[in-house]
Amino acid sequence: WEGTAEGGNGIEPGLIPGTEDQQAYIGFGGITSPAGERILNLYKPINYVPPAQGPSVVRFSVRMQIVPSTNQVHDFFRWSVYNTDIRRLFSLDFDVNTGDISYLLEGGTNYVFTGRSFDTLGFYDLEIWMDLGRNAWTALLNGAVVVNSKPLALAGTKRDIGDIDAVWDKQSAAARDNDYMIFDDYRVSVVSVSSIPPRLEQLGVAPPDRAFLLRAYGQSGLNYAFEATADFKSW
C-alpha cells in the first residue's frame, strides 16, 4: 500500500454482517503521508504471469460495501488492476456522491459511466473476469453485468496481473470525511475455462405477443449458439 491513513471522527467502521473475520476497509479519515495526497492504494502483490500455453482467464471476486460520510463530503472508491510493470490496466469506479459506477481503460483520461448504479444500504458481490490471452475483461455486480468485454490493455502493454488494488480517491486532501469501503472474501484465481463465461440477462416479456426477451453478454470475436425447447426433450 502507498501512503498512510488515520482515523476520522472516532466512530469505528461497521462490518459486513455474517463475515466478521479478517475484513478490511479503506477510507474513514485523512491521508497523513505524504502531505496533501488524495489517493490511497491498498493491495497485496499477486504477480501472476500466464504461461505461453495454458490457462489465461483470471477471476477476481470480493464482497464489498461503501458507507457514505456523515459530513456530506463524499469520495470515490474503486478497484484498479495493475500489471507487473506497475501499469494500470483498468479501474472500476464507485462515486459515493452520485451512486454512479464507471470505468477507465488503460490510456483513458475520462471515466465512462456504465449505466449502472449502486447504493450504500447493503453489500455487493463483485466479480471481474480477465481473459489475458484475448485481451478482454468483464465485471459483474451481484451477478449483473456492469462492464462487458472491454479491452484489458493497449497494444504493447504486458498482459499479466501484478496487483488488484482497493483505491480511495478523496475529493479534498484537507476534508475530514469518514466514508469508507469495507470488503471481505478477496479472492484471485486462475480458472480452467477457454474464455470469460457468457451471461444471459432476463428482460421479461414484450407486448403484443409476449415474446420472452433475453440479453446475451459475451466476448467480442467469439461465436455463441442458443438452443431452445418447447418440451425440454428436443432442443
Side-chain angles (χ1 to χ4, degrees):
W1 60 285
E2 303 170 356
T4 58
E6 62 179 12
N9 58 10
I11 303 173
E12 291 296 326
L15 297 175
I16 298 174
T19 54
E20 285 79 9
D21 294 334
Q22 300 183 0
Q23 296 188 11
Y25 69 88
I26 187 169
F28 196 76
I31 300 174
T32 60
S33 176
E37 184 58 72
R38 294 192 305 106
I39 297 179
L40 185 72
N41 287 54
L42 176 66
Y43 66 93
K44 178 180 180 179
I46 298 168
N47 297 327
Y48 173 70
V49 178
Q53 299 293 329
S56 63
V57 177
V58 176
R59 177 183 181 265
F60 164 67
S61 63
V62 68
R63 177 162 291 188
M64 56 172 282
Q65 181 180 16
I66 296 176
V67 179
S69 177
T70 59
N71 65 359
Q72 305 306 310
V73 179
H74 301 306
D75 299 323
F76 297 88
F77 293 93
R78 62 181 67 108
W79 294 97
S80 293
V81 177
Y82 290 79
N83 68 8
T84 54
D85 288 336
I86 320 178
R87 186 171 182 85
R88 183 175 63 180
L89 302 180
F90 64 87
S91 293
L92 188 66
D93 181 84
F94 298 82
D95 184 339
V96 185
N97 185 51
T98 64
D100 290 349
I101 303 174
S102 304
Y103 66 88
L104 183 69
L105 301 179
E106 186 197 359
T109 56
N110 297 312
Y111 279 85
V112 179
F113 178 45
T114 64
R116 304 279 191 172
S117 60
F118 73 100
D119 63 45
T120 56
L121 298 178
F123 57 84
Y124 290 93
D125 290 319
L126 172 66
E127 292 178 79
I128 297 179
W129 291 78
M130 294 160 279
D131 188 335
L132 304 178
R134 291 190 177 89
N135 194 32
W137 67 281
T138 291
L140 302 95
L141 202 61
N142 282 1
V145 175
V146 293
V147 179
N148 184 63
S149 192
K150 296 300 180 183
L152 184 71
L154 295 174
T157 297
K158 186 184 295 184
R159 297 204 298 265
D160 57 21
I161 307 296
D163 46 88
I164 301 175
D165 301 15
V167 183
W168 177 28
D169 185 348
K170 287 172 60 65
Q171 286 295 279
S172 169
R176 302 291 297 176
D177 41 339
N178 58 0
D179 51 0
Y180 60 93
M181 178 171 68
I182 188 167
F183 58 94
D184 196 10
D185 295 334
Y186 178 110
R187 291 187 173 92
V188 181
S189 55
V190 179
V191 186
S192 296
V193 295
S194 60
S195 63
I196 298 172
R199 302 280 174 166
L200 287 178
E201 181 178 299
Q202 300 178 17
L203 301 180
V205 295
D209 55 358
R210 300 188 59 79
F212 190 72
L213 300 180
L214 292 172
R215 176 178 288 126
Y217 294 96
Q219 284 185 243
S220 300
L222 296 182
N223 295 323
Y224 298 90
F226 289 87
E227 292 185 343
T229 181
D231 57 9
F232 292 96
K233 295 180 181 179
S234 300
W235 292 80

